[in-house]
Amino acid sequence: MGVGVLIVRFGMALHSLRQGDETALLTLPLGAVLPGLLIVALLAMPPAHTVEGVLMRLGTAIHLLLILALPPLALHLALGLPVVFLVVELFQTRVPARIRGPLTRVVLA
């Protein structure tokens, strides 16, 4: 899915360049290539030893995919990246175990 989003972003940049607007092409390295490389790096890391680590990696990968897919909101999403870690931490520490267990199994299954 991430590769498809990258292809679409490259296509949009080329289309904008043909129309005379080079902004999309100039923002492509930081707006699309870097998040794509970060997703690859997250997925290539050795397995996490805790459920919290797995959830943080999964949340970060999804967040980076949103940054790729929604260019107009990319800056706001990038600034909100620490929220992923806060949500996972609150989920692991504040949600009762009887609710947390089934939800974790659904997400990681």
Side-chain angles (χ1 to χ4, degrees), residues 3-59:
V3 174
V5 173
L6 275 174
I7 291 171
V8 169
R9 291 286 303 270
F10 278 111
M12 288 172 33
L14 290 177
H15 178 70
S16 294
L17 189 60
R18 286 188 198 128
Q19 301 298 324
D21 182 21
E22 65 274 346
T23 306
L25 184 65
L26 293 174
T27 61
L28 196 63
L30 284 176
V33 176
L34 183 62
L37 288 174
L38 290 174
I39 290 172
V40 170
L42 275 173
L43 297 177
M45 291 174 79
H49 298 290
T50 63
V51 173
E52 187 176 0
V54 174
L55 289 174
M56 283 190 182
R57 284 187 194 174
L58 182 64

Short mmCIF file of all heavy atoms in Angstrom, two decimals, residues 3-59:
data_model
loop_
_atom_site.label_atom_id
_atom_site.label_comp_id
_atom_site.label_asym_id
_atom_site.label_seq_id
_atom_site.Cartn_x
_atom_site.Cartn_y
_atom_site.Cartn_z
N VAL A 3 3.83 1.57 -1.24
CA VAL A 3 4.44 1.72 -2.56
C VAL A 3 3.45 2.37 -3.52
O VAL A 3 3.82 3.24 -4.31
CB VAL A 3 4.92 0.35 -3.10
CG1 VAL A 3 5.43 0.46 -4.52
CG2 VAL A 3 5.98 -0.23 -2.20
N GLY A 4 2.20 1.97 -3.42
CA GLY A 4 1.16 2.58 -4.26
C GLY A 4 1.01 4.07 -3.99
O GLY A 4 0.87 4.87 -4.92
N VAL A 5 1.05 4.43 -2.72
CA VAL A 5 0.94 5.85 -2.36
C VAL A 5 2.15 6.62 -2.89
O VAL A 5 2.02 7.73 -3.40
CB VAL A 5 0.80 6.01 -0.83
CG1 VAL A 5 0.87 7.46 -0.43
CG2 VAL A 5 -0.49 5.39 -0.35
N LEU A 6 3.34 6.02 -2.80
CA LEU A 6 4.54 6.68 -3.34
C LEU A 6 4.44 6.88 -4.84
O LEU A 6 4.81 7.93 -5.36
CB LEU A 6 5.78 5.86 -3.01
CG LEU A 6 6.42 6.12 -1.66
CD1 LEU A 6 7.56 5.14 -1.41
CD2 LEU A 6 6.92 7.53 -1.56
N ILE A 7 3.94 5.88 -5.54
CA ILE A 7 3.78 5.99 -7.00
C ILE A 7 2.80 7.11 -7.35
O ILE A 7 3.03 7.90 -8.26
CB ILE A 7 3.34 4.64 -7.59
CG1 ILE A 7 4.50 3.64 -7.50
CG2 ILE A 7 2.88 4.79 -9.03
CD1 ILE A 7 4.13 2.22 -7.85
N VAL A 8 1.71 7.19 -6.60
CA VAL A 8 0.73 8.26 -6.83
C VAL A 8 1.37 9.62 -6.57
O VAL A 8 1.17 10.56 -7.33
CB VAL A 8 -0.52 8.05 -5.95
CG1 VAL A 8 -1.42 9.28 -5.97
CG2 VAL A 8 -1.29 6.84 -6.41
N ARG A 9 2.15 9.73 -5.49
CA ARG A 9 2.80 11.02 -5.18
C ARG A 9 3.80 11.41 -6.28
O ARG A 9 3.89 12.58 -6.65
CB ARG A 9 3.52 10.94 -3.83
CG ARG A 9 2.63 10.84 -2.61
CD ARG A 9 1.93 12.15 -2.26
NE ARG A 9 2.81 13.25 -2.04
CZ ARG A 9 3.33 13.59 -0.87
NH1 ARG A 9 3.02 12.91 0.20
NH2 ARG A 9 4.14 14.62 -0.76
N PHE A 10 4.55 10.44 -6.80
CA PHE A 10 5.47 10.73 -7.90
C PHE A 10 4.69 11.17 -9.13
O PHE A 10 5.09 12.11 -9.83
CB PHE A 10 6.33 9.51 -8.24
CG PHE A 10 7.52 9.33 -7.36
CD1 PHE A 10 7.58 8.28 -6.46
CD2 PHE A 10 8.58 10.21 -7.40
CE1 PHE A 10 8.67 8.11 -5.63
CE2 PHE A 10 9.69 10.06 -6.58
CZ PHE A 10 9.72 9.01 -5.69
N GLY A 11 3.58 10.50 -9.40
CA GLY A 11 2.74 10.89 -10.54
C GLY A 11 2.18 12.29 -10.39
O GLY A 11 2.14 13.07 -11.35
N MET A 12 1.74 12.62 -9.17
CA MET A 12 1.22 13.97 -8.92
C MET A 12 2.32 15.01 -9.10
O MET A 12 2.06 16.10 -9.65
CB MET A 12 0.64 14.05 -7.51
CG MET A 12 -0.67 13.32 -7.34
SD MET A 12 -1.30 13.18 -5.65
CE MET A 12 -0.80 14.66 -4.85
N ALA A 13 3.54 14.68 -8.68
CA ALA A 13 4.65 15.63 -8.83
C ALA A 13 4.97 15.85 -10.30
O ALA A 13 5.20 16.99 -10.73
CB ALA A 13 5.88 15.11 -8.08
N LEU A 14 4.97 14.77 -11.08
CA LEU A 14 5.25 14.91 -12.51
C LEU A 14 4.14 15.68 -13.22
O LEU A 14 4.40 16.50 -14.10
CB LEU A 14 5.44 13.54 -13.14
CG LEU A 14 6.72 12.81 -12.74
CD1 LEU A 14 6.76 11.41 -13.37
CD2 LEU A 14 7.94 13.61 -13.16
N HIS A 15 2.90 15.44 -12.83
CA HIS A 15 1.78 16.16 -13.43
C HIS A 15 1.88 17.65 -13.11
O HIS A 15 1.68 18.49 -13.99
CB HIS A 15 0.45 15.58 -12.92
CG HIS A 15 -0.75 16.31 -13.45
ND1 HIS A 15 -1.14 16.23 -14.77
CD2 HIS A 15 -1.62 17.15 -12.84
CE1 HIS A 15 -2.21 16.98 -14.95
NE2 HIS A 15 -2.52 17.55 -13.78
N SER A 16 2.19 17.97 -11.87
CA SER A 16 2.34 19.38 -11.48
C SER A 16 3.51 20.03 -12.22
O SER A 16 3.43 21.20 -12.61
CB SER A 16 2.57 19.50 -9.98
OG SER A 16 1.44 19.09 -9.28
N LEU A 17 4.59 19.27 -12.42
CA LEU A 17 5.74 19.81 -13.14
C LEU A 17 5.38 20.11 -14.59
O LEU A 17 5.80 21.13 -15.14
CB LEU A 17 6.90 18.81 -13.08
CG LEU A 17 8.25 19.29 -13.60
CD1 LEU A 17 8.72 20.51 -12.80
CD2 LEU A 17 9.27 18.18 -13.52
N ARG A 18 4.58 19.25 -15.20
CA ARG A 18 4.13 19.51 -16.58
C ARG A 18 3.26 20.75 -16.66
O ARG A 18 3.22 21.42 -17.69
CB ARG A 18 3.37 18.31 -17.12
CG ARG A 18 4.24 17.15 -17.47
CD ARG A 18 3.47 16.07 -18.18
NE ARG A 18 4.22 14.84 -18.12
CZ ARG A 18 3.75 13.69 -17.70
NH1 ARG A 18 2.50 13.57 -17.34
NH2 ARG A 18 4.52 12.63 -17.66
N GLN A 19 2.53 21.04 -15.58
CA GLN A 19 1.67 22.22 -15.54
C GLN A 19 2.46 23.49 -15.21
O GLN A 19 1.90 24.57 -15.20
CB GLN A 19 0.56 22.03 -14.50
CG GLN A 19 -0.33 20.84 -14.74
CD GLN A 19 -1.09 20.95 -16.05
OE1 GLN A 19 -1.50 22.02 -16.44
NE2 GLN A 19 -1.27 19.82 -16.73
N GLY A 20 3.74 23.34 -14.90
CA GLY A 20 4.59 24.50 -14.62
C GLY A 20 4.79 24.78 -13.15
O GLY A 20 5.41 25.78 -12.79
N ASP A 21 4.28 23.92 -12.27
CA ASP A 21 4.45 24.12 -10.83
C ASP A 21 5.44 23.09 -10.31
O ASP A 21 5.15 21.90 -10.27
CB ASP A 21 3.09 23.95 -10.13
CG ASP A 21 3.19 24.18 -8.64
OD1 ASP A 21 4.14 24.84 -8.19
OD2 ASP A 21 2.29 23.69 -7.93
N GLU A 22 6.62 23.56 -9.92
CA GLU A 22 7.66 22.64 -9.46
C GLU A 22 7.61 22.40 -7.96
O GLU A 22 8.42 21.65 -7.42
CB GLU A 22 9.04 23.12 -9.87
CG GLU A 22 9.50 24.40 -9.25
CD GLU A 22 9.05 25.64 -9.99
OE1 GLU A 22 8.59 25.58 -11.13
OE2 GLU A 22 9.13 26.72 -9.38
N THR A 23 6.67 22.98 -7.24
CA THR A 23 6.59 22.83 -5.78
C THR A 23 6.43 21.38 -5.37
O THR A 23 7.09 20.92 -4.43
CB THR A 23 5.42 23.67 -5.23
OG1 THR A 23 5.56 25.01 -5.68
CG2 THR A 23 5.40 23.64 -3.73
N ALA A 24 5.55 20.64 -6.04
CA ALA A 24 5.32 19.24 -5.67
C ALA A 24 6.59 18.40 -5.84
O ALA A 24 6.87 17.52 -5.03
CB ALA A 24 4.18 18.65 -6.49
N LEU A 25 7.36 18.70 -6.88
CA LEU A 25 8.61 17.96 -7.10
C LEU A 25 9.67 18.34 -6.06
O LEU A 25 10.40 17.48 -5.58
CB LEU A 25 9.14 18.22 -8.51
CG LEU A 25 10.38 17.43 -8.91
CD1 LEU A 25 10.06 15.94 -8.95
CD2 LEU A 25 10.91 17.89 -10.24
N LEU A 26 9.71 19.60 -5.68
CA LEU A 26 10.71 20.04 -4.70
C LEU A 26 10.41 19.51 -3.29
O LEU A 26 11.32 19.28 -2.51
CB LEU A 26 10.79 21.56 -4.68
CG LEU A 26 11.34 22.21 -5.95
CD1 LEU A 26 11.23 23.73 -5.86
CD2 LEU A 26 12.77 21.80 -6.18
N THR A 27 9.13 19.32 -2.97
CA THR A 27 8.77 18.82 -1.65
C THR A 27 8.73 17.29 -1.59
O THR A 27 8.53 16.73 -0.52
CB THR A 27 7.40 19.37 -1.21
OG1 THR A 27 6.41 18.94 -2.15
CG2 THR A 27 7.43 20.87 -1.12
N LEU A 28 8.91 16.64 -2.71
CA LEU A 28 8.83 15.18 -2.76
C LEU A 28 9.84 14.46 -1.86
O LEU A 28 9.46 13.52 -1.17
CB LEU A 28 8.97 14.70 -4.21
CG LEU A 28 8.55 13.28 -4.51
CD1 LEU A 28 7.06 13.10 -4.23
CD2 LEU A 28 8.84 12.94 -5.93
N PRO A 29 11.11 14.87 -1.81
CA PRO A 29 12.05 14.14 -0.95
C PRO A 29 11.66 14.12 0.52
O PRO A 29 11.68 13.08 1.16
CB PRO A 29 13.38 14.86 -1.16
CG PRO A 29 13.26 15.51 -2.49
CD PRO A 29 11.81 15.87 -2.64
N LEU A 30 11.28 15.26 1.08
CA LEU A 30 10.91 15.29 2.49
C LEU A 30 9.46 14.87 2.72
O LEU A 30 9.13 14.37 3.78
CB LEU A 30 11.12 16.69 3.07
CG LEU A 30 12.56 17.06 3.35
CD1 LEU A 30 12.64 18.50 3.83
CD2 LEU A 30 13.17 16.14 4.37
N GLY A 31 8.60 15.07 1.73
CA GLY A 31 7.19 14.76 1.92
C GLY A 31 6.80 13.35 1.58
O GLY A 31 5.76 12.87 2.05
N ALA A 32 7.59 12.66 0.77
CA ALA A 32 7.21 11.31 0.37
C ALA A 32 8.35 10.30 0.53
O ALA A 32 8.14 9.22 1.06
CB ALA A 32 6.74 11.31 -1.09
N VAL A 33 9.53 10.64 0.07
CA VAL A 33 10.63 9.67 0.09
C VAL A 33 11.08 9.38 1.52
O VAL A 33 11.24 8.21 1.91
CB VAL A 33 11.81 10.17 -0.78
CG1 VAL A 33 12.99 9.23 -0.68
CG2 VAL A 33 11.37 10.31 -2.23
N LEU A 34 11.27 10.41 2.34
CA LEU A 34 11.72 10.20 3.70
C LEU A 34 10.72 9.39 4.54
O LEU A 34 11.11 8.42 5.19
CB LEU A 34 12.04 11.53 4.38
CG LEU A 34 12.59 11.43 5.80
CD1 LEU A 34 13.91 10.67 5.81
CD2 LEU A 34 12.76 12.80 6.40
N PRO A 35 9.41 9.73 4.52
CA PRO A 35 8.48 8.87 5.26
C PRO A 35 8.44 7.43 4.73
O PRO A 35 8.32 6.48 5.51
CB PRO A 35 7.12 9.55 5.06
CG PRO A 35 7.45 10.96 4.81
CD PRO A 35 8.74 10.94 4.06
N GLY A 36 8.59 7.27 3.42
CA GLY A 36 8.63 5.92 2.86
C GLY A 36 9.83 5.13 3.36
O GLY A 36 9.72 3.95 3.71
N LEU A 37 10.98 5.79 3.41
CA LEU A 37 12.18 5.13 3.93
C LEU A 37 12.05 4.81 5.42
O LEU A 37 12.53 3.77 5.89
CB LEU A 37 13.42 5.99 3.69
CG LEU A 37 13.90 6.10 2.25
CD1 LEU A 37 15.04 7.11 2.14
CD2 LEU A 37 14.32 4.75 1.73
N LEU A 38 11.40 5.70 6.16
CA LEU A 38 11.18 5.43 7.58
C LEU A 38 10.26 4.24 7.80
O LEU A 38 10.46 3.46 8.73
CB LEU A 38 10.63 6.68 8.27
CG LEU A 38 11.60 7.85 8.40
CD1 LEU A 38 10.89 9.07 8.96
CD2 LEU A 38 12.78 7.46 9.27
N ILE A 39 9.25 4.10 6.95
CA ILE A 39 8.36 2.92 7.05
C ILE A 39 9.15 1.65 6.78
O ILE A 39 9.03 0.66 7.51
CB ILE A 39 7.17 3.06 6.08
CG1 ILE A 39 6.23 4.16 6.55
CG2 ILE A 39 6.41 1.74 5.97
CD1 ILE A 39 5.13 4.49 5.57
N VAL A 40 9.99 1.67 5.76
CA VAL A 40 10.82 0.51 5.44
C VAL A 40 11.76 0.19 6.61
O VAL A 40 11.93 -0.97 6.99
CB VAL A 40 11.61 0.74 4.13
CG1 VAL A 40 12.66 -0.33 3.92
CG2 VAL A 40 10.66 0.79 2.95
N ALA A 41 12.35 1.22 7.20
CA ALA A 41 13.25 1.00 8.33
C ALA A 41 12.50 0.42 9.53
O ALA A 41 13.02 -0.47 10.21
CB ALA A 41 13.92 2.32 8.72
N LEU A 42 11.30 0.90 9.78
CA LEU A 42 10.51 0.37 10.89
C LEU A 42 10.17 -1.10 10.68
O LEU A 42 10.21 -1.91 11.61
CB LEU A 42 9.20 1.16 11.04
CG LEU A 42 9.25 2.42 11.86
CD1 LEU A 42 7.92 3.15 11.77
CD2 LEU A 42 9.58 2.12 13.30
N LEU A 43 9.82 -1.44 9.46
CA LEU A 43 9.44 -2.82 9.17
C LEU A 43 10.64 -3.76 9.10
O LEU A 43 10.49 -4.97 9.27
CB LEU A 43 8.62 -2.89 7.87
CG LEU A 43 7.29 -2.12 7.91
CD1 LEU A 43 6.61 -2.19 6.56
CD2 LEU A 43 6.39 -2.65 9.01
N ALA A 44 11.82 -3.21 8.86
CA ALA A 44 13.03 -4.03 8.75
C ALA A 44 13.72 -4.25 10.09
O ALA A 44 14.65 -5.05 10.18
CB ALA A 44 14.00 -3.39 7.76
N MET A 45 13.27 -3.56 11.12
CA MET A 45 13.90 -3.70 12.44
C MET A 45 13.65 -5.10 13.00
O MET A 45 12.65 -5.75 12.65
CB MET A 45 13.33 -2.66 13.40
CG MET A 45 13.74 -1.24 13.08
SD MET A 45 12.91 -0.03 14.11
CE MET A 45 13.87 -0.18 15.59
N PRO A 46 14.52 -5.57 13.86
CA PRO A 46 14.28 -6.88 14.48
C PRO A 46 13.01 -6.83 15.33
O PRO A 46 12.57 -5.75 15.74
CB PRO A 46 15.51 -7.10 15.36
CG PRO A 46 16.26 -5.84 15.39
CD PRO A 46 15.76 -4.96 14.30
N PRO A 47 12.42 -7.98 15.58
CA PRO A 47 11.15 -8.02 16.32
C PRO A 47 11.29 -7.37 17.70
O PRO A 47 12.31 -7.52 18.38
CB PRO A 47 10.83 -9.50 16.45
CG PRO A 47 11.72 -10.20 15.52
CD PRO A 47 12.86 -9.31 15.19
N ALA A 48 10.23 -6.69 18.11
CA ALA A 48 10.20 -6.08 19.44
C ALA A 48 9.94 -7.16 20.47
O ALA A 48 9.29 -8.16 20.20
CB ALA A 48 9.12 -5.00 19.50
N HIS A 49 10.42 -6.93 21.66
CA HIS A 49 10.27 -7.92 22.72
C HIS A 49 9.00 -7.74 23.54
O HIS A 49 8.61 -8.63 24.28
CB HIS A 49 11.49 -7.89 23.66
CG HIS A 49 12.76 -8.23 22.96
ND1 HIS A 49 13.04 -9.50 22.50
CD2 HIS A 49 13.82 -7.46 22.61
CE1 HIS A 49 14.23 -9.50 21.92
NE2 HIS A 49 14.73 -8.27 21.96
N THR A 50 8.36 -6.58 23.43
CA THR A 50 7.15 -6.32 24.20
C THR A 50 6.00 -5.97 23.27
O THR A 50 6.21 -5.52 22.14
CB THR A 50 7.37 -5.15 25.18
OG1 THR A 50 7.62 -3.96 24.43
CG2 THR A 50 8.52 -5.42 26.14
N VAL A 51 4.80 -6.15 23.80
CA VAL A 51 3.60 -5.78 23.04
C VAL A 51 3.57 -4.28 22.82
O VAL A 51 3.18 -3.80 21.75
CB VAL A 51 2.33 -6.26 23.79
CG1 VAL A 51 1.07 -5.75 23.12
CG2 VAL A 51 2.31 -7.76 23.89
N GLU A 52 4.01 -3.54 23.81
CA GLU A 52 4.04 -2.08 23.70
C GLU A 52 4.95 -1.64 22.55
O GLU A 52 4.60 -0.75 21.78
CB GLU A 52 4.53 -1.48 25.01
CG GLU A 52 4.44 0.01 25.06
CD GLU A 52 4.83 0.56 26.43
OE1 GLU A 52 5.18 -0.23 27.33
OE2 GLU A 52 4.80 1.79 26.57
N GLY A 53 6.10 -2.28 22.40
CA GLY A 53 7.01 -1.97 21.30
C GLY A 53 6.40 -2.26 19.95
O GLY A 53 6.54 -1.48 19.00
N VAL A 54 5.71 -3.38 19.84
CA VAL A 54 5.05 -3.74 18.58
C VAL A 54 3.96 -2.74 18.25
O VAL A 54 3.82 -2.29 17.10
CB VAL A 54 4.48 -5.18 18.65
CG1 VAL A 54 3.68 -5.50 17.42
CG2 VAL A 54 5.60 -6.19 18.83
N LEU A 55 3.16 -2.36 19.25
CA LEU A 55 2.09 -1.39 19.03
C LEU A 55 2.65 -0.03 18.62
O LEU A 55 2.09 0.66 17.76
CB LEU A 55 1.22 -1.25 20.28
CG LEU A 55 0.32 -2.43 20.60
CD1 LEU A 55 -0.37 -2.22 21.94
CD2 LEU A 55 -0.70 -2.66 19.50
N MET A 56 3.77 0.37 19.23
CA MET A 56 4.37 1.66 18.86
C MET A 56 4.89 1.65 17.43
O MET A 56 4.71 2.61 16.68
CB MET A 56 5.49 2.03 19.83
CG MET A 56 4.98 2.54 21.14
SD MET A 56 6.31 3.23 22.11
CE MET A 56 5.42 3.68 23.59
N ARG A 57 5.51 0.56 17.05
CA ARG A 57 6.00 0.45 15.66
C ARG A 57 4.83 0.45 14.68
O ARG A 57 4.89 1.12 13.64
CB ARG A 57 6.81 -0.82 15.47
CG ARG A 57 8.17 -0.73 16.04
CD ARG A 57 8.98 -1.94 15.66
NE ARG A 57 10.18 -2.01 16.48
CZ ARG A 57 11.01 -3.01 16.45
NH1 ARG A 57 10.77 -4.05 15.67
NH2 ARG A 57 12.09 -3.00 17.20
N LEU A 58 3.80 -0.29 14.98
CA LEU A 58 2.63 -0.36 14.10
C LEU A 58 1.96 1.01 14.00
O LEU A 58 1.62 1.47 12.90
CB LEU A 58 1.65 -1.42 14.60
CG LEU A 58 0.41 -1.62 13.77
CD1 LEU A 58 0.77 -2.15 12.39
CD2 LEU A 58 -0.53 -2.59 14.47
N GLY A 59 1.78 1.67 15.14
CA GLY A 59 1.18 3.00 15.14
C GLY A 59 2.00 4.01 14.36
O GLY A 59 1.46 4.83 13.62
#
